[in-house]
Amino acid sequence: MSTSSSVGPAGPSSDDVFRSPPAMISGDSTSSSSSSSSSSSSSFSLSALTQAFPFSSGNPRIEETRGVMHLYRDDAVSSSSSDLPVGRKPLVCVLGVPNYMTYADFCQFCGSFINHILEMRIVRNDGMEDRYSILIRFDSQESTDNFYRHFNGRRFSSLEAEVCRVLFTVDVQYTGSIEHEQATPASSTDQPACPVCLERLDQDMNGILTTICNHSFHCSCISMWTDSSCPVCRYCQQQPEKSICSVCQTSENLWICVICGFVGCGRYEGGHAIVHWKETQHCYSLEVETQRVWDYVGDNYVHRLIQSKTDGKLVELNAHCTLDSDACGSCESTDSGLSEALLNSRVEAIVNEYNELLATQLENQKLYFESLLQDIKEETEREISKAVDKAVGQKLQKMQAKLDRCVKEKEILDDLNESLLKNQEIWKAKILEIEERGKKALKLKDDKIRDSEEQLRDLMVFLEAGKTMEELSLSSEIKDGTVLSIPMEETSSSSSTKEGKKVNNSRKS
């Protein structure tokens, strides 16, 4: 197998990419044998520090280039300058870049070093379906070391968890290329010019980026291309996800409804595509593998012409063509003497017929969905009416229950008011009775006080009279005298008069 490989139309060959020391990329068999003999002494020591990564590049439908890149291990490299690999080259590999990063995103990510980059090549690693790797060659070893220290372990985006993994590259070997399709004359000639600006691809003027489909551009030109596809061949590095049946999740014999996009399996698998037709009346379905449209109503393909697998020409499809490959092979062997003018007219007629069929089907689908919308509208109106009636009934029930509660509360309050009125009358009578008793008690107390005052006055008079008599008895001048009583008020009692008389009688004696 040849050690060199041819690449896409707009880029240089793989021998021209990353051409630095001879040990970096092998050229022809002579140079590779000489380099292997010169490095045989150091290969054993490097094998313990390096690891091999198989890679490939190119459009798999046209031509695919395969190779192996030898990279230093992560544990063999340190961030300090003294611990960097001895004998390293100004060539690194950014391993495992996520597919959501476009060429422009990566150029913007490493924008501070874009002026020091000579070449970048996008490759895909075996076993990494959703990632790609980038081989980068710098203008000096100092720029390479600074790039490694700055970006190794750094996150690609603050919103994502993926980090940039930079490894020093020992050697990149191309093992050969596989051509899947005959290249056209326009794509077989090398055009050493950028397809965007049409300027010469000169490394001294600007860095060169080679996409995964082997098309080369200036880094400044490709950085303005925000799409993930190639500007030349439209090959996308981020491949679409594989379709599966929406019901049973199988990936075999899939059919896609051309009306609503439902993905279902064929009748020889789970039959979910035909079930979808019976439920929705979507009668046209596209087979994923052959890209042909099947009509469930007519029970046949809508195509009159199909594309031959051998030369890509359109040939007539027999009316009794079946699904297996043998029958399609017989279709491909149809008489090749059909004139191209007749073929083009048939193609145009088929296109018109297909457009009419599609328009008819769309009109039927319009009527079908309008009827569904009408049914849904009527059902919605019925549900709204039921909901309104239910809401009104519930509201009336709540109001009636509230009214009943209010009536019961009113009755309770009336009974309470009546009992309070009765209690009020009772308490009024009791208050009057208490007032009468208070008046009588007060009057009785006043009488007692009055009697007590009179008795106290009489006692005072008596005491004063006794004191006076004692003073008179001591005097010798009074003999046979008569003691006159002190005049009393009209209101004095008879008992005081009697006491006075007794005093007078005692004095006389």
Side-chain angles (χ1 to χ4, degrees):
M1 185 177 294
S2 175
T3 57
S4 63
S5 60
S6 60
V7 293
S13 63
S14 59
D15 293 337
D16 297 331
V17 179
F18 305 105
R19 180 183 297 164
S20 56
M24 186 176 297
I25 299 175
S26 59
D28 53 10
S29 58
T30 305
S31 62
S32 63
S33 61
S34 61
S35 63
S36 61
S37 62
S38 62
S39 60
S40 59
S41 60
S42 61
S43 60
F44 179 76
S45 60
L46 287 176
S47 61
L49 301 177
T50 61
Q51 53 185 342
F53 288 91
F55 70 90
S56 63
S57 63
N59 192 334
R61 295 192 297 267
I62 301 175
E63 184 182 19
E64 188 175 9
T65 304
R66 302 196 62 83
V68 178
M69 52 185 177
H70 299 274
L71 309 177
Y72 281 99
R73 296 180 182 273
D74 291 332
D75 52 4
V77 182
S78 177
S79 60
S80 60
S81 301
S82 59
D83 294 335
L84 293 177
V86 179
R88 62 189 180 277
K89 304 178 180 66
L91 178 65
V92 295
C93 175
V94 181
L95 196 65
V97 181
N99 269 343
Y100 63 79
M101 288 194 68
T102 62
Y103 308 126
D105 293 337
F106 187 81
C107 291
Q108 185 179 3
F109 175 72
C110 58
S112 57
F113 289 86
I114 200 70
N115 295 327
H116 301 281
I117 295 176
L118 297 180
E119 295 180 70
M120 287 192 292
R121 173 177 281 274
I122 314 295
V123 297
R124 68 174 71 89
N125 292 103
D126 296 348
M128 295 184 182
E129 296 294 336
D130 56 345
R131 298 175 183 273
Y132 62 91
S133 299
I134 303 179
L135 291 167
I136 307 176
R137 184 160 67 89
F138 290 88
D139 55 357
S140 64
Q141 188 62 50
E142 182 182 0
S143 301
T144 310
D145 297 342
N146 292 334
F147 181 87
Y148 175 82
R149 296 190 192 95
H150 186 73
F151 288 107
N152 188 35
R154 182 179 178 182
R155 296 171 64 180
F156 287 109
S157 173
S158 59
L159 303 177
E160 302 293 340
E162 289 86 354
V163 297
C164 180
R165 184 184 177 190
V166 183
L167 297 177
F168 283 99
T169 304
V170 179
D171 189 15
V172 179
Q173 298 176 352
Y174 288 88
T175 58
S177 61
I178 303 174
E179 293 186 0
H180 299 279
E181 184 175 316
Q182 184 66 31
T184 59
S187 63
S188 61
T189 59
D190 272 341
Q191 297 293 335
C194 177
V196 178
C197 64
L198 303 180
E199 296 291 337
R200 186 176 181 83
L201 290 173
D202 191 357
Q203 297 178 2
D204 298 332
M205 299 299 295
N206 202 344
I208 299 175
L209 185 143
T210 303
T211 62
I212 202 169
C213 53
N214 293 334
H215 292 109
S216 297
F217 306 87
H218 289 131
C219 292
S220 58
C221 297
I222 197 65
S223 61
M224 295 184 294
W225 182 259
T226 58
D227 194 19
S228 60
S229 62
C230 175
V232 176
C233 65
R234 302 300 181 184
Y235 176 75
C236 185
Q237 65 187 27
Q238 187 174 3
Q239 298 299 321
E241 297 181 358
K242 192 174 182 180
S243 300
I244 58 175
C245 178
S246 301
V247 180
C248 63
Q249 311 302 321
T250 183
S251 59
E252 302 294 333
N253 192 15
L254 296 180
W255 297 76
I256 300 178
C257 177
V258 299
I259 305 299
C260 66
F262 175 82
V263 181
C265 54
R267 65 184 70 186
Y268 299 110
E269 293 292 334
H272 296 114
I274 194 170
V275 171
H276 174 72
W277 163 63
K278 292 178 180 179
E279 292 177 351
T280 61
Q281 298 301 314
H282 295 175
C283 61
Y284 294 114
S285 186
L286 175 70
E287 187 177 9
V288 176
E289 183 178 359
T290 61
Q291 300 295 310
R292 289 185 290 176
V293 179
W294 179 264
D295 182 10
Y296 286 105
V297 177
D299 199 23
N300 56 8
Y301 287 106
V302 299
H303 302 276
R304 300 297 180 269
L305 299 175
I306 61 174
Q307 188 176 13
S308 174
K309 294 182 179 179
T310 57
D311 54 6
K313 293 182 178 180
L314 295 176
V315 296
E316 186 177 3
L317 177 66
N318 292 337
H320 302 288
C321 180
T322 58
L323 291 175
D324 55 359
S325 59
D326 295 337
C328 292
S330 63
C331 293
E332 294 170 3
S333 61
T334 310
D335 185 15
S336 59
L338 295 174
S339 63
E340 189 168 350
L342 181 60
L343 190 62
N344 293 334
S345 63
R346 288 186 178 181
V347 171
E348 186 177 358
I350 294 304
V351 170
N352 294 332
E353 183 179 358
Y354 179 76
N355 291 334
E356 292 178 0
L357 288 173
L358 186 59
T360 304
Q361 180 64 20
L362 290 176
E363 184 66 27
N364 294 334
Q365 290 302 311
K366 177 184 176 182
L367 298 176
Y368 171 72
F369 283 112
E370 286 179 352
S371 63
L372 288 180
L373 289 175
Q374 184 65 26
D375 295 340
I376 293 173
K377 184 178 180 181
E378 294 176 356
E379 182 67 22
T380 304
E381 291 178 354
R382 287 195 297 267
E383 291 180 356
I384 291 174
S385 178
K386 290 181 181 179
V388 170
D389 295 339
K390 186 176 180 180
V392 171
Q394 291 179 353
K395 189 173 183 180
L396 290 176
Q397 291 178 358
K398 291 181 179 179
M399 293 180 65
Q400 185 64 34
K402 189 174 182 180
L403 180 61
D404 294 340
R405 288 197 302 270
C406 292
V407 170
K408 290 182 180 179
E409 291 178 358
K410 182 178 179 300
E411 293 177 356
I412 294 172
L413 292 175
D414 291 340
D415 295 339
L416 182 61
N417 188 26
E418 186 177 356
S419 63
L420 289 176
L421 290 175
K422 291 180 180 180
N423 292 334
Q424 184 181 9
E425 296 295 333
I426 294 172
W427 283 107
K428 283 183 179 179
K430 288 184 178 180
I431 289 171
L432 292 175
E433 184 179 356
I434 291 171
E435 287 178 353
E436 291 294 332
R437 285 201 302 267
K439 290 179 180 179
K440 290 180 181 180
L442 184 61
K443 185 177 181 181
L444 182 60
K445 183 178 69 172
D446 292 340
D447 294 339
K448 287 182 179 182
I449 291 172
R450 191 179 299 110
D451 293 339
S452 298
E453 288 177 352
E454 291 178 356
Q455 291 179 4
L456 180 61
R457 188 169 50 252
D458 291 343
L459 181 61
M460 293 297 294
V461 170
F462 176 75
L463 292 175
E464 289 178 359
K467 185 177 180 181
T468 304
M469 288 302 297
E470 289 179 357
E471 292 177 355
L472 290 177
S473 61
L474 294 176
S475 178
S476 59
E477 297 178 354
I478 299 175
K479 293 182 179 179
D480 297 331
T482 302
V483 177
L484 298 178
S485 60
I486 299 173
M488 303 293 292
E489 295 180 0
E490 295 180 358
T491 59
S492 61
S493 61
S494 59
S495 59
S496 63
T497 305
K498 291 180 180 180
E499 292 292 334
K501 288 180 180 180
K502 288 180 180 180
V503 171
N504 291 330
N505 292 329
S506 61
R507 288 178 179 177
K508 287 179 180 183
S509 58

